[in-house]
């Protein structure tokens, strides 16, 4: 993802997506969310997304993401995550341990891109319809296969029938 602000010598400032593979059944996964929140607090252009697998928060495309990047059947382990869905030098999997998220996010934020992406959206709470307009302004030379993904996320969703397991403390959820 590229930021809609901050042109830098014919290049656009970059945003970095941190996709955490998680599940409410995973007692170590709150550590992944904590790590993501720390990175988001330090870097304004870092965006965290939680891909829930095997719980009530799972959405239809989540298993496709898990199968394509995690090998399916929880092959990597949880919490795992991707930084811009990129395979970094020295890694054998796009899914990486939370210990590498911060440094890989920082390194990705040093990069720039040839396109400045703008996003405008409206949401009608009565009809529950969202309209999104995405624009792309090329500010530098670019060639090859390029794609823009638009991801709709939600937060503050609670399912009391599917509580988060947490091995980090006794009695917290």
């Amino acid at each position: 993802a590229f930021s809609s602000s901050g042109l830098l010598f014919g290049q656009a400032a970059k945003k970095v997506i941190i996709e955490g593979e998680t599940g409410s059944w995973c007692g170590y996964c709150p550590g992944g969310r904590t790590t993501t929140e720390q990175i988001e607090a330090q870097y304004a252009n870092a965006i965290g997304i939680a891909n829930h697998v095997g719980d009530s928060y799972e959405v239809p495309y989540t298993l496709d993401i898990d199968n394509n990047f995690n090998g399916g059947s929880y092959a990597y382990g949880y919490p795992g995550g991707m930084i811009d869905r990129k395979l970094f030098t020295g890694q054998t999997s796009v899914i990486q341990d939370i210990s590498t998220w911060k440094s890989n996010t920082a390194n990705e934020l040093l990069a720039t891109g040839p396109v400045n992406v703008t996003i405008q959206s409206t949401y009608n709470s009565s009809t529950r319809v969202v309209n999104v307009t995405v624009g792309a302004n090329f500010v530098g030379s670019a060639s090859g296969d390029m794609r823009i993904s638009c991801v709709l996320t939600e937060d503050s969703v609670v399912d009391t029938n599917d509580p988060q397991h947490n091995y980090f403390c006794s009695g917290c959820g």
Side-chain angles (χ1 to χ4, degrees):
F2 297 94
S3 172
S4 62
S5 63
L7 298 183
L8 185 66
F9 307 111
Q11 298 290 301
K14 189 170 185 343
K15 291 196 176 187
V16 175
I17 304 297
I18 306 163
E19 286 180 273
E21 297 290 301
T22 189
S24 62
W25 48 265
C26 171
Y28 294 108
C29 288
R33 185 64 212 152
T34 300
T35 299
T36 300
E37 288 173 355
Q38 291 168 348
I39 295 168
E40 289 174 316
Q42 185 171 358
Y43 301 108
N45 283 355
I47 302 165
I49 299 173
N51 290 326
H52 279 262
V53 177
D55 64 18
S56 65
Y57 304 103
E58 181 179 291
V59 294
Y61 62 82
T62 303
L63 285 177
D64 291 336
I65 293 170
D66 192 61
N67 287 328
N68 285 319
F69 293 103
N70 197 14
S73 301
Y74 320 117
Y76 178 83
Y78 286 73
M82 299 174 278
I83 308 300
D84 278 350
R85 295 186 178 180
K86 178 179 176 180
L87 181 63
F88 290 85
T89 303
Q91 293 181 200
T92 57
S93 172
V94 174
I95 300 286
Q96 51 190 272
D97 184 78
I98 61 174
S99 65
T100 62
W101 293 4
K102 184 176 180 181
S103 61
N104 285 338
T105 297
N107 287 333
E108 281 294 282
L109 286 168
L110 295 174
T112 58
V115 64
N116 188 37
V117 176
T118 58
I119 301 171
Q120 295 180 338
S121 62
T122 59
Y123 176 67
N124 184 320
S125 59
S126 298
T127 62
R128 299 181 58 172
V129 172
V130 65
N131 288 300
V132 179
T133 302
V134 178
N137 179 31
F138 284 84
V139 296
S141 298
S143 62
D145 184 20
M146 293 179 213
R147 300 161 193 242
I148 295 175
S149 296
C150 182
V151 179
L152 178 65
T153 63
E154 58 186 348
D155 65 7
S156 303
V157 178
V158 177
D159 181 353
T160 56
N161 294 316
D162 191 7
Q164 175 67 55
H165 291 266
N166 189 340
Y167 299 148
F168 294 102
C169 66
S170 174
C172 58

